[in-house]
Each structure stands twice: as C-alpha cells, then as structure tokens.
C-alpha cells in the first residue's frame, strides 16, 4: 500500500515538473522573441515578467509574459498621452498557443473607457460595440500598424 501511494505521489510530482518545464520553455521562447529590444518594467517580477518600450512617436509597447503556470500573456500598444491625461487608446494582443492572436482595444472618449474585443481587421466582435469602434477606427488602424511594425502580427 505504501509503495502504491509513493508511486502515485511520484507520478504527480513528475507530471507537475513536466508541466512547469513546458510552461517555462513555451513562455520564454514565445515571449522572449516578442520582448527583444525592450527593457524590464519597474513592476517586473521573476514569475510575471513585463517589458516596456517607447518609440520615437511616443507610442508605448508592453509585453507581459504569462503568469506562473498560465499560458495567457499579452502585448499592447498605447497611443501617446495627450496633455496630462494618461488614458489613451490601446490595442491589446493575446498570443495563443496555436500561434494565432486575439485582439481587444481600450478606447477612451469624454471620460469614459470602453474595453472591446475586435478582429484582426479592427471590427468589433459585438454589435453593441460597433459605434464606439467606428468612432475610433483611425486610432485602431494606427495601433495595428504600430503593432505589426514591432511584432509582425499581421504577416
């Protein structure tokens, strides 16, 4: 009986170690490429890495590695801040394990923020969000261009 329990515990420990190794390798290979040329953010931690970059046009880029044992991280491109208002439109990109991307935008107007899921062409996935996305279509287009220049997500 003790031997059987020991085997089960050993099998669980090995499975957990393999899952940790797979997570570590995938997250560091995938997100390591995305964060090339970027600097570690102030709020970077060993288990949740974050890297920042600001280009000459003052667009902010962020790569957030997946948290420990999660396979979901993201990248984002934010428009330059206007005056003292730090809230600007931003594109959020979630790489999938299959190599595809999912997209969302944070859109701000008149002191209100909107979080909207969009497709790779910048169209709202929900009918109720179509109007706000249409009003920000130029900003979304520029954010996609910036993201594609940095990471080649639309190739």
């Amino acid at each position: 009986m003790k031997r059987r329990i020991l085997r089960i515990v050993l099998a669980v420990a090995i499975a957990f170690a393999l899952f940790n190794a797979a997570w570590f390798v995938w997250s560091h290979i995938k997100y390591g490429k995305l964060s090339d040329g970027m600097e570690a953010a102030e709020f970077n931690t060993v288990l949740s890495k974050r890297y920042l970059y600001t280009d000459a046009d003052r667009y902010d880029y962020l790569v957030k590695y997946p948290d420990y044992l999660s396979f979901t991280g993201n990248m984002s491109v934010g428009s330059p801040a206007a005056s003292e208002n730090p809230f600007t439109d931003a594109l959020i990109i979630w790489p999938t394990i299959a190599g595809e991307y999912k997209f969302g935008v944070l859109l701000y107007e008149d002191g209100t923020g909107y979080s909207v899921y969009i497709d790779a062409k910048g169209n709202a996935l929900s009918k109720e969000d179509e109007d706000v996305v249409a009003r920000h279509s130029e900003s979304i287009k520029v954010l996609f261009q910036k993201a594609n220049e940095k990471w080649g997500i639309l190739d």
Side-chain angles (χ1 to χ4, degrees), residues 2 14 20 29 32 43 52 70 75 98 109 118 120 124 138:
K2 282 186 178 182
I14 289 170
N20 270 275
I29 288 173
F43 41 91
L52 293 168
S70 168
M75 305 121 66
E109 58 184 37
I118 60 174
E138 283 304 311

Side-chain angles (χ1 to χ4, degrees), residues 73-98:
N74 65 60
M75 305 121 66
S76 66
V77 180
S79 300
S83 65
E84 296 297 316
N85 184 3
F87 300 106
T88 61
D89 292 352
L91 172 66
I92 307 203
I93 307 153
W94 293 276
T96 66
I97 292 176

Side-chain angles (χ1 to χ4, degrees), residues 12-89:
V12 169
I14 289 170
F16 183 68
L18 290 173
F19 187 79
N20 270 275
W23 168 80
F24 183 83
V25 168
W26 180 81
S27 66
H28 284 75
I29 288 173
K30 178 68 175 179
Y31 287 85
K33 291 175 188 174
L34 296 170
S35 61
D36 277 347
M38 300 175 86
E39 295 193 17
E42 285 179 33
F43 41 91
N44 191 38
T45 67
V46 174
L47 295 178
S48 184
K49 295 183 177 201
R50 292 171 172 87
Y51 290 86
L52 293 168
Y53 170 75
T54 301
D55 71 11
D57 295 327
R58 296 188 6 235
Y59 281 81
D60 293 319
Y61 300 79
L62 172 77
V63 172
K64 183 200 168 293
Y65 283 50
D67 289 330
Y68 180 60
L69 298 184
S70 168
F71 287 89
T72 304
N74 65 60
M75 305 121 66
S76 66
V77 180
S79 300
S83 65
E84 296 297 316
N85 184 3
F87 300 106
T88 61
D89 292 352

Side-chain angles (χ1 to χ4, degrees), residues 3 6 77 109 112 121 137 152:
R3 194 170 222 155
L6 183 61
V77 180
E109 58 184 37
T112 302
K121 296 182 187 223
S137 64

